[in-house]
Amino acid sequence: METLKLLFLSLALALAAASNAATAGSIPDHFHPLRPQLGTSAGRRIPGLNCLSWRLAVEADNIQDWTVVPKECENYVGNYMLGLQYRIDSKFVTGSAYLYAKNLTLGKDGKDVWVFDIDDTSLSNLPYYAQPDTAFGAKPYNDTTFTVWEKQAKAPALPATLWLYKRLLRLGFKIVFLTGRSETFRAVTVQNLHKVGYTKWEKLILKSAEEKAEGLHALQYKSRERTNLVKAGYRILGNIGDQWSDVLGDNVGSRTFKLPNPMFYIA
Amino acid sequence: METLKLLFLSLALALAAASNAATAGSIPDHFHPLRPQLGTSAGRRIPGLNCLSWRLAVEADNIQDWTVVPKECENYVGNYMLGLQYRIDSKFVTGSAYLYAKNLTLGKDGKDVWVFDIDDTSLSNLPYYAQPDTAFGAKPYNDTTFTVWEKQAKAPALPATLWLYKRLLRLGFKIVFLTGRSETFRAVTVQNLHKVGYTKWEKLILKSAEEKAEGLHALQYKSRERTNLVKAGYRILGNIGDQWSDVLGDNVGSRTFKLPNPMFYIA
């Protein structure tokens, strides 16, 4: 049985690697020297901190304002993000979102919207975070290198989210992308979205220079922009993001969906 | 290595059983015929539904209004609830709550409160849910048998919560228990709380006959009662429960903490 389990896991890791490799140019040259671990129970072996518990606490919003992944959980988070479980967890979230969406009756005025966050929701920055210098969030955030990565417009789609996006379009939803990315990145963002399959939307809202200068937290900025949508007559029926700041605050929408992200926290 | 892992898990299960047995009378005669599984990755073997993903979605509030644990996850949930991971996860949540609490400066007027839910937060109904007729929530909720269990006042404390309760008292917090239990259960609830170590509180709020007749959801009922606390001059600095309906709504408190509970959902 254990041999089977081992075989299954090797296969899973190989598949994950292959699926990453398929997005060719997006794979950095230097890949994190990850030590493979068997199963998610591997966290138990870490003294003092249980990485399973840490990740659960992150996903249930029990720990907030953390800046880096605990050093002890670097390998755990890496294995999770590159393994099958992250993909299955993400698919379960967007699958649940679709089950909710398909039972709704939309108005005929084209005002029913679904809000999508971009980074690590619609697009995946995992190829960037899998580098040794970022170490799946276990190294401090580096705005310079992240900006370089962002400008390359090479981020792959998060497959589970692209799947939901296509089905929502078919159901008649209007799509609103709402991102903390700066307005100055509009062109590369559009380019990246188009390249991976997000080709149609009602609005793409980025942070203006004025909003940037105000120094608003993501939660406040996104609350304000969603309130503007509601004032403009839109009905936010759904909202999906990888951060709690995407789905808490004002006018969050009739239902919200939180994708997993144990790599960083945005307030 | 695998032998060691096996030994470790046997030990964990034995410890869990012993810790349950320690609360003597609370163990039902008929215990769920659980098939032990190795590690939390066991969910992967279930076709069609990944129980790890299901549980994560529950804890991140992505699936709502579910009535029973999916049949395929009955054993998974049972193993989780009786195993070490549930205990470690719970302790991580209350540990995080304590780290937050101990950095606060309390007023001298005795108005700083921490709100505690009761069922499966302060008291554990796991001995009840571990019976074959409840099957860790995989069988439909039975109000008759749960009431019999409740009236016995035999529920053990959830150790992680009792730990937090004692430390908060020492820090000078006033404790408010806020429960969806009916006011008619006040005496047995007090008896049960006292028996397991919760001996001191500012308020114990139960659902009145009028509120029961109104048919309010837990979220609305608890929002209203917390609003009454705030109107009475209390400052809710913390709030802990096992349901999202404990920690969402109005006046939830400066920080909220969500304990794991994959056995049932209360809206």
Side-chain angles (χ1 to χ4, degrees):
Chain A
M1 213 240 15
E2 284 310 322
T3 317
L4 260 179
K5 199 169 159 189
L6 196 65
L7 273 171
F8 180 74
L9 249 126
S10 312
L11 182 68
L13 289 170
L15 276 173
S19 113
N20 281 333
T23 57
S26 63
I27 298 294
D29 294 322
H30 300 290
F31 200 76
H32 187 276
L34 201 61
R35 281 173 286 127
Q37 296 175 332
L38 285 185
T40 44
S41 61
R44 285 202 183 120
R45 271 180 278 146
I46 292 160
L49 181 67
N50 181 297
C51 295
L52 275 173
S53 292
W54 177 82
R55 182 165 71 83
L56 184 68
V58 165
E59 296 305 340
D61 206 24
N62 283 320
I63 52 171
Q64 303 178 349
D65 297 313
W66 51 279
T67 51
V68 289
V69 168
K71 188 69 194 157
E72 306 93 309
C73 297
E74 177 177 330
N75 262 279
Y76 169 79
V77 169
N79 276 282
Y80 172 73
M81 291 302 296
L82 295 177
L84 262 190
Q85 196 62 40
Y86 169 59
R87 282 144 187 81
I88 301 174
D89 287 349
S90 301
K91 189 59 201 303
F92 195 90
V93 177
T94 60
S96 304
Y98 178 63
L99 286 180
Y100 155 74
K102 80 183 176 72
N103 285 321
L104 298 175
T105 307
L106 305 191
K108 297 198 189 302
D109 56 359
K111 290 290 191 179
D112 294 305
V113 299
W114 196 291
V115 176
F116 281 74
D117 168 53
I118 293 185
D119 285 298
D120 297 288
T121 296
S122 303
L123 300 176
S124 169
N125 294 311
L126 190 50
Y128 170 78
Y129 280 100
Q131 294 177 88
D133 286 350
T134 42
F136 305 104
K139 299 273 170 68
Y141 174 72
N142 183 327
D143 197 53
T144 311
T145 60
F146 186 72
T147 301
V148 171
W149 159 255
E150 228 176 341
K151 283 187 178 164
Q152 291 172 344
K154 282 177 175 178
L158 201 134
T161 306
L162 184 59
W163 177 91
L164 176 66
Y165 164 86
K166 286 181 178 168
R167 265 146 199 84
L168 291 178
L169 276 181
R170 233 176 277 164
L171 290 174
F173 283 87
K174 301 287 179 186
I175 305 299
V176 172
F177 287 109
L178 173 54
T179 173
R181 285 185 178 205
S182 161
E183 185 66 49
T184 55
F185 287 85
R186 182 174 287 272
V188 289
T189 302
V190 168
Q191 186 193 339
N192 201 152
L193 287 171
H194 275 159
K195 195 191 291 177
V196 300
Y198 299 100
T199 50
K200 204 180 153 181
W201 53 77
E202 180 80 1
K203 280 178 187 291
L204 165 58
I205 305 170
L206 299 103
K207 207 184 249 182
S208 68
E210 298 77 45
E211 283 171 321
K212 241 187 126 107
E214 269 188 88
L216 290 183
H217 281 296
L219 191 138
Q220 300 161 323
Y221 155 69
K222 294 201 165 185
S223 287
R224 181 199 285 181
E225 292 298 337
R226 284 191 308 261
T227 300
N228 288 342
L229 285 173
V230 171
K231 282 183 185 161
Y234 289 105
R235 294 177 296 272
I236 305 174
L237 299 189
N239 177 4
I240 188 164
D242 63 294
Q243 297 291 321
W244 280 99
S245 54
D246 294 326
V247 295
L248 292 177
D250 304 327
N251 293 299
V252 291
S254 309
R255 274 291 299 271
T256 64
F257 296 89
K258 162 79 178 71
L259 285 164
N261 187 352
M263 302 192 300
F264 55 84
Y265 177 89
I266 297 174
Chain B
M1 216 253 351
E2 284 308 322
T3 318
L4 259 178
K5 199 170 161 189
L6 196 65
L7 272 172
F8 178 75
L9 249 127
S10 311
L11 183 68
L13 289 171
L15 276 173
S19 115
N20 281 333
T23 57
S26 64
I27 299 293
D29 294 322
H30 301 290
F31 200 75
H32 187 276
L34 201 61
R35 281 171 287 129
Q37 296 175 330
L38 285 184
T40 45
S41 61
R44 284 202 184 121
R45 270 180 279 146
I46 291 159
L49 181 68
N50 182 298
C51 296
L52 276 173
S53 292
W54 178 81
R55 182 164 72 83
L56 183 69
V58 165
E59 296 306 340
D61 205 24
N62 284 320
I63 51 171
Q64 302 179 351
D65 297 313
W66 50 280
T67 51
V68 289
V69 168
K71 189 67 193 158
E72 305 93 310
C73 297
E74 176 178 332
N75 261 280
Y76 169 80
V77 170
N79 275 284
Y80 171 73
M81 291 302 297
L82 294 178
L84 262 189
Q85 196 61 41
Y86 169 59
R87 283 146 186 79
I88 302 174
D89 287 348
S90 301
K91 189 61 201 302
F92 195 90
V93 176
T94 61
S96 303
Y98 178 64
L99 286 179
Y100 154 74
K102 79 183 178 69
N103 285 322
L104 297 174
T105 307
L106 306 190
K108 296 197 190 305
D109 56 0
K111 290 289 191 179
D112 293 306
V113 299
W114 196 290
V115 175
F116 282 74
D117 167 54
I118 294 185
D119 285 297
D120 298 287
T121 296
S122 303
L123 299 177
S124 169
N125 294 311
L126 190 50
Y128 170 77
Y129 280 100
Q131 294 178 88
D133 287 349
T134 42
F136 306 104
K139 298 272 171 71
Y141 175 72
N142 184 328
D143 197 53
T144 312
T145 59
F146 186 71
T147 301
V148 170
W149 159 256
E150 228 176 341
K151 283 187 178 164
Q152 290 172 342
K154 283 176 173 178
L158 201 134
T161 306
L162 184 59
W163 176 92
L164 176 65
Y165 164 87
K166 286 180 178 167
R167 267 148 198 84
L168 292 179
L169 276 180
R170 233 177 276 162
L171 290 174
F173 283 86
K174 301 289 180 185
I175 305 299
V176 171
F177 287 108
L178 173 54
T179 174
R181 285 185 178 206
S182 161
E183 184 65 50
T184 56
F185 286 85
R186 181 174 286 272
V188 289
T189 302
V190 168
Q191 186 193 340
N192 201 153
L193 287 171
H194 275 160
K195 195 191 293 176
V196 299
Y198 300 100
T199 50
K200 204 180 154 183
W201 52 79
E202 181 79 2
K203 280 179 187 292
L204 165 58
I205 305 171
L206 302 105
K207 206 185 250 182
S208 68
E210 298 77 47
E211 283 170 320
K212 240 186 127 104
E214 268 187 89
L216 291 182
H217 280 297
L219 191 138
Q220 301 161 324
Y221 155 70
K222 292 199 166 185
S223 288
R224 183 198 284 179
E225 291 299 337
R226 285 192 307 263
T227 299
N228 288 341
L229 285 172
V230 171
K231 282 183 186 161
Y234 290 105
R235 294 177 295 273
I236 304 174
L237 298 188
N239 177 6
I240 188 164
D242 64 294
Q243 297 290 321
W244 279 100
S245 53
D246 294 326
V247 295
L248 292 178
D250 303 327
N251 293 298
V252 291
S254 308
R255 274 290 300 270
T256 64
F257 296 90
K258 162 76 180 72
L259 285 164
N261 187 352
M263 301 191 300
F264 56 84
Y265 177 89
I266 297 174

